[in-house]
Amino acid sequence: MNTTDGNVLLSRVTADDSLQITTRYGDISTDHTVISGTVRFDTSDGNVSLNSTDISGSLQSTTRYGDVNASLLTISGKTKLKTSGGNISLKLDDKSLRHLNISMTTEYGSLSVPEYAGGSKRRYKEYGHRYDKSSDAGSACLNVITSDGDICLR
């Protein structure tokens, strides 16, 4: 699915096959959605919002100049969230937070992680930060990258 200026909302959808959504200036949002297949979101100047989304498959989301906001996210598959010039804010469910392998990197920005999340946070390059957490509970993973923005895991 492609759009130049329009927004895309997936509400109460089960994406159990391959799905690619591309927009140039629009936002991409999910609400009460299950991703059990392979899904890719691409937007140049739009935001990505994931609300009450269950990812047991694979999600790759890329935005150039937009923010990524996720609340009540459940992850048991592979998820990659990337933005070049935007902030990323995540709220994971407790089970996902305990069982995920997590890697988060910002080159020019702050990175905040609650103490109870475990893992290790360190400086990355001159102005950035990196956070890593490994889990013995399986192969589910979350990879979060922003070049010029902040990352907040809550």
Side-chain angles (χ1 to χ4, degrees):
M1 174 185 298
N2 294 314
T3 179
T4 301
D5 296 320
N7 297 328
V8 177
L9 170 64
L10 299 176
S11 182
R12 301 191 186 280
V13 171
T14 298
D16 57 3
D17 204 355
S18 291
L19 174 65
Q20 179 165 347
I21 297 174
T22 303
T23 180
R24 188 162 177 200
Y25 298 109
D27 298 336
I28 301 172
S29 303
T30 65
D31 185 49
H32 293 88
T33 297
V34 175
I35 296 174
S36 56
T38 301
V39 175
R40 182 179 173 107
F41 297 152
D42 292 301
T43 179
S44 293
D45 295 306
N47 299 315
V48 174
S49 297
L50 308 168
N51 181 42
S52 297
T53 299
D54 183 343
I55 304 167
S56 59
S58 172
L59 171 64
Q60 182 170 333
S61 174
T62 304
T63 180
R64 197 173 78 180
Y65 296 113
D67 295 331
V68 177
N69 294 295
S71 60
L72 300 174
L73 199 61
T74 302
I75 301 173
S76 59
K78 298 185 184 313
T79 301
K80 181 176 183 178
L81 306 173
K82 182 178 181 179
T83 181
S84 296
N87 300 317
I88 300 175
S89 175
L90 304 165
K91 173 142 178 64
L92 302 175
D93 74 320
D94 290 339
K95 183 179 178 185
S96 293
L97 187 58
R98 284 191 310 271
H99 298 295
L100 273 174
N101 296 298
I102 301 174
S103 173
M104 298 190 297
T105 305
T106 177
E107 289 186 39
Y108 297 96
S110 66
L111 192 150
S112 63
V113 178
E115 265 187 49
Y116 62 84
S120 67
K121 180 180 161 185
R122 63 188 181 281
R123 291 291 272 171
Y124 178 75
K125 296 189 177 179
E126 190 173 350
Y127 300 105
H129 295 89
R130 183 170 175 94
Y131 169 81
D132 292 292
K133 182 181 89 61
S134 297
S135 171
D136 297 331
S139 62
C141 63
L142 172 63
N143 188 2
V144 178
I145 302 163
T146 182
S147 298
D148 190 6
D150 301 329
I151 298 173
C152 177
L153 175 64
R154 43 191 169 83

